[in-house]
Amino acid sequence: GAGVSQSPRYKVAKRGQDVALRCDPISGHVSLFWYQQALGQGPEFLTYFQNEAQLDKSGLPSDRFFAERPEGSVSTLKIQRTQQEDSAVYLCASSLGTGTTLDQPQHFGDGTRLSIL
Amino acid sequence: SQQGEEDPQALSIQEGENATMNCSYKTSINNLQWYRQNSGRGLVHLILIRSNEREKHSGRLRVTLDTSKKSSSLLITASRAADTASYFCATPSWAGKSTFGDGTTLTVKP
């Protein structure tokens, strides 16, 4: 596709329910990132994939958060037993990721706004 | 904690005026990037400045970097209503993982 696509755009869940958020990166992009953005703040890193390998998951807040990218393209962020503090916008980004990635811009999707009641 | 901190938190100007926002960071960097985020949308990459560069231009954008002060500034000249957005600085680290500040919210009044 032309850009990074995330679905759903909005998700409302009751506390304790499990949710799954999907990210379709730009075709051919090796690197994929998940961020959490609270209202009025900048994105906070959650996890990073290079192809199907999850190379960094240091930002995941708890073991209730799980991310996968089994075929190196689409990624899913799953949150189990959701809590109110999980309410935020979850952003996915991808980059070409070949060679040195430090100077490659990240391309962001429009995010999933998650509200936990 | 965030690596970058933007200043001011909010800025309101008239169309045609210039807008300047600043970013400070804590650790050494390879480069610093600026992004824009329109309300309800994802971030869009604007410009990258490398650690060995002091100034960079792109259209109406001018970015400066002072590594001795660990700070950067973004200047938008001749602002337009369409420039209304939040602006974030970001510092990529290992494997391109980026750390973002909390942003400056810019409002340009027509």
Side-chain angles (χ1 to χ4, degrees):
Chain A
V4 177
S5 177
Q6 291 188 246
S7 61
R9 286 281 283 130
Y10 303 92
K11 176 69 179 177
V12 179
K14 292 183 179 178
R15 188 161 55 99
Q17 288 183 330
D18 298 347
V19 298
L21 313 179
R22 178 187 168 104
C23 173
D24 275 276
I26 293 172
S27 178
H29 276 196
V30 168
S31 297
L32 185 145
F33 305 83
W34 283 98
Y35 293 89
Q36 181 188 61
Q37 187 175 26
L39 189 64
Q41 296 184 13
E44 290 260 15
F45 171 81
L46 293 177
T47 187
Y48 160 65
F49 289 86
Q50 189 172 88
N51 294 307
E52 68 279 4
Q54 188 175 22
L55 298 187
D56 188 345
K57 54 181 181 179
S58 62
L60 296 176
S62 74
D63 58 9
R64 297 186 296 104
F65 287 71
F66 172 77
E68 60 182 3
R69 193 186 185 198
E71 297 178 359
S73 55
V74 170
S75 177
T76 303
L77 176 66
K78 298 179 180 178
I79 309 174
Q80 298 176 323
R81 305 180 303 280
T82 52
Q83 300 177 4
Q84 281 194 320
E85 59 261 32
D86 299 335
S87 296
V89 174
Y90 290 85
L91 295 167
C92 175
S94 69
S95 70
L96 198 54
T98 55
T100 302
T101 58
L102 281 174
D103 57 357
Q104 293 178 9
Q106 294 184 19
H107 301 264
F108 282 80
D110 286 338
T112 293
R113 183 176 296 277
L114 176 64
S115 297
I116 305 300
L117 305 178
Chain B
S1 62
Q2 299 285 43
Q3 158 79 310
E5 294 183 5
E6 287 87 349
D7 163 58
Q9 284 189 321
L11 181 61
S12 182
I13 59 175
Q14 293 293 138
E15 208 165 27
E17 293 180 340
N18 296 341
T20 300
M21 51 206 88
N22 305 295
C23 165
S24 60
Y25 57 92
K26 297 174 183 174
T27 62
S28 61
I29 60 171
N30 173 279
N31 67 71
L32 186 143
Q33 303 177 23
W34 284 90
Y35 287 79
R36 183 188 77 228
Q37 184 177 35
N38 289 81
S39 180
R41 303 297 299 273
L43 283 74
V44 174
H45 185 263
L46 294 176
I47 193 167
L48 177 153
I49 185 164
R50 300 183 193 284
S51 60
N52 61 353
E53 297 177 310
R54 290 297 168 257
E55 187 172 313
K56 197 163 183 180
H57 297 253
S58 177
R60 294 183 297 111
L61 304 180
R62 172 177 168 252
V63 170
T64 62
L65 180 64
D66 186 336
T67 52
S68 67
K69 296 180 179 178
K70 291 187 168 58
S71 68
S72 173
S73 67
L74 171 67
L75 168 68
I76 305 174
T77 60
S79 62
R80 306 166 181 168
D83 295 329
T84 293
S86 292
Y87 292 82
F88 296 90
C89 66
T91 51
S93 58
W94 176 77
K97 161 188 171 180
S98 287
T99 304
F100 292 83
D102 283 338
T104 292
T105 300
L106 173 66
T107 302
V108 182
K109 301 174 186 176

